[in-house]
């Protein structure tokens, strides 16, 4: 399976994605706008509460090409963060109050400067999160050695696992994904990840395979823990439920399945004012692989950088100005405010 970009698919154009979300049909044109919903609860313009999380997308290269990937990542993507941009991120972090560095991709482990950067950030005393697809940890020897490297630097490992059985996982992410994910989880458990008292945190991320919202995070976590323990002896700390946002490959899925209007209606009618208060763009900054700054990883994929009055590249870092910016929004933002809310750390309410 190739990325939308390599296929020269029209949905590889972020501007076209936004056009589809707003104007694809009369139903979509007539739906309430996200701005209107924020105005109703006196939350527009949406403003940051202070940067706590410094999230970096270190490249779109990945060993997998998952059907619902909002990044459109894959082995055929060549965009990766350069060492110069990594150094600019380090410079910014030295002057930032952000206490967490969240590394994502693609498969962030595939960036050639990944280990070097983790070591540097660890020396700064920042908490590090690596978002792994798990399967990468079962491939080449240099990746198989990463669990030990993560443990040595106290890295929190947050992993994508669509479900606790083979059929649903492989259907979403490709044949053999479940077995390799189980192998990686067992390897992480073997060195203490997911075990109480070790301080080595292992979290799983669940997002629905179809055109519906995730179930309750607490009940799903109990199900995942019970099933993975019973079937494979696997333990982990937390399960995060994340709503699929209608962009990139997931938007393509919604269009091909004829579910776009119904899904958008579900997101909008499930708008939760409490979830809107806690959206991740309020305490997070997203750094693109080329150093461009975004309000969140989703805005990054839609090529919506931070507003012009704020610094727009990591080389121009100014935390005061970034904390006073207005967050850019569009219809995809309903995905973060539906139901219990959704963020990279799971439900927000």
């Amino acid at each position: 399976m190739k990325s939308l970009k390599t296929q020269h698919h029209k949905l590889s154009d972020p501007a076209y994605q936004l056009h589809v979300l707003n104007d694809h049909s009369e139903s979509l044109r007539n739906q309430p706008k996200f701005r209107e919903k924020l105005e109703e609860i006196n939350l527009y313009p949406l403003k940051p509460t202070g940067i706590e999380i410094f999230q970096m997308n270190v490249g779109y290269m990945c060993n997998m090409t998952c059907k619902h990937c909002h990044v459109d990542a894959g082995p055929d993507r060549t965009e990766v963060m350069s060492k110069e941009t990594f150094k600019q991120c380090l410079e910014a972090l030295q002057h930032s109050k952000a206490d967490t560095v969240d590394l994502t991709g693609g498969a962030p482990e595939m960036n050639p400067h990944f280990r070097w950067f983790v070591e540097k950030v660890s020396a700064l005393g920042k908490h590090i999160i690596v978002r792994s697809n798990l399967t990468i940890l079962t491939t080449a020897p240099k990746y198989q050695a990463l669990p030990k490297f993560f443990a040595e630097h106290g890295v929190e490992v947050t992993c994508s696992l669509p479900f606790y059985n083979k059929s649903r996982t492989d259907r979403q992410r490709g044949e053999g994904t479940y077995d390799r994910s189980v192998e990686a989880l067992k390897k992480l458990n073997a060195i203490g990840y997911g075990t109480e008292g070790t301080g080595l945190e292992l979290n799983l991320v669940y997002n629905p395979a179809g055109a519906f919202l995730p179930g309750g995070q607490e009940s799903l976590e109990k199900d995942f823990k019970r099933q993975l323990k019973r079937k494979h002896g696997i333990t982990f700390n937390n399960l995060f439920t994340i709503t699929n946002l209608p962009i990139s490959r997931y938007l393509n899925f919604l269009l091909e399945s004829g579910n776009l209007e119904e899904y958008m209606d579900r997101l909008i009618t499930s708008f939760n004012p409490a979830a809107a208060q806690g959206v991740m763009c309020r305490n997070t900054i997203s750094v693109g692989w080329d150093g461009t700054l975004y309000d969140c990883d989703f805005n990054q994929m839609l090529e919506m950088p931070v507003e012009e009055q704020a610094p727009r590249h990591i080389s121009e870092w100014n935390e005061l100005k970034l904390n006073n910016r207005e967050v850019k929004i569009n219809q995809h933002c309903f995905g973060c405010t539906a139901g219990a809310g959704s963020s990279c750390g799971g439900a927000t309410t």
Side-chain angles (χ1 to χ4, degrees), residues 221-238:
E221 179 178 291
K222 289 179 181 177
D223 289 343
F224 267 71
K225 284 186 171 180
R226 182 176 61 253
Q227 294 289 348
L228 290 175
K229 179 68 173 177
R230 180 181 66 82
K231 293 179 179 179
H232 309 290
I234 289 170
T235 60
F236 63 93
N237 296 97
N238 304 291

Side-chain angles (χ1 to χ4, degrees), residues 111-283:
N111 187 294
H113 311 297
F114 174 77
R115 279 177 174 254
W116 169 84
F117 186 72
V118 168
E119 290 170 349
K120 292 292 187 182
V121 175
S122 179
L124 291 178
K126 304 286 187 180
H127 178 64
I128 304 169
I129 301 172
V130 170
R131 296 187 180 272
S132 179
N133 64 30
L134 285 174
T135 65
I136 188 70
L137 304 178
T138 68
T139 55
K142 65 178 180 179
Y143 300 129
Q144 292 180 31
L146 281 174
K148 183 180 178 182
F149 173 78
F150 292 155
E152 289 171 350
H153 292 87
V155 174
E156 175 185 328
V157 182
T158 296
C159 312
S160 175
L161 187 69
F163 209 61
Y164 48 72
N165 67 33
K166 183 180 177 70
S167 60
R168 283 181 61 170
T169 298
D170 286 3
R171 186 163 65 247
Q172 183 175 342
R173 300 183 65 199
E175 189 70 28
T177 295
Y178 183 78
D179 290 340
R180 286 183 289 155
S181 297
V182 166
E183 178 187 342
L185 287 169
K186 286 183 175 180
K187 186 180 296 186
L188 288 161
N189 276 174
I191 59 174
Y193 270 98
T195 301
E196 189 174 347
T198 64
L200 298 176
E201 192 160 346
L202 174 63
N203 302 313
L204 300 184
V205 174
Y206 162 85
N207 59 300
F212 49 87
L213 300 181
Q217 183 168 281
E218 186 176 344
S219 60
L220 273 171
E221 179 178 291
K222 289 179 181 177
D223 289 343
F224 267 71
K225 284 186 171 180
R226 182 176 61 253
Q227 294 289 348
L228 290 175
K229 179 68 173 177
R230 180 181 66 82
K231 293 179 179 179
H232 309 290
I234 289 170
T235 60
F236 63 93
N237 296 97
N238 304 291
L239 178 78
F240 300 143
T241 57
I242 297 183
T243 301
N244 287 312
L245 265 70
I247 62 176
S248 195
R249 288 188 208 146
Y250 188 68
L251 177 57
N252 188 44
F253 159 76
L254 291 172
L255 286 168
E256 289 185 342
S257 61
N259 282 307
L260 177 58
E261 284 81 3
E262 182 180 347
Y263 187 70
M264 287 302 301
D265 184 64
R266 182 173 291 120
L267 294 182
I268 294 169
T269 55
S270 301
F271 178 81
N272 181 350
Q277 292 282 351
V279 284
M280 61 186 173
C281 52
R282 303 193 75 191
N283 73 343

Side-chain angles (χ1 to χ4, degrees), residues 15-27:
Y16 183 72
Q17 292 183 51
L18 290 170
H19 167 74
V20 169
L21 288 177
N22 287 275
D23 297 301
H24 180 68
S25 65
E26 183 176 356
S27 171

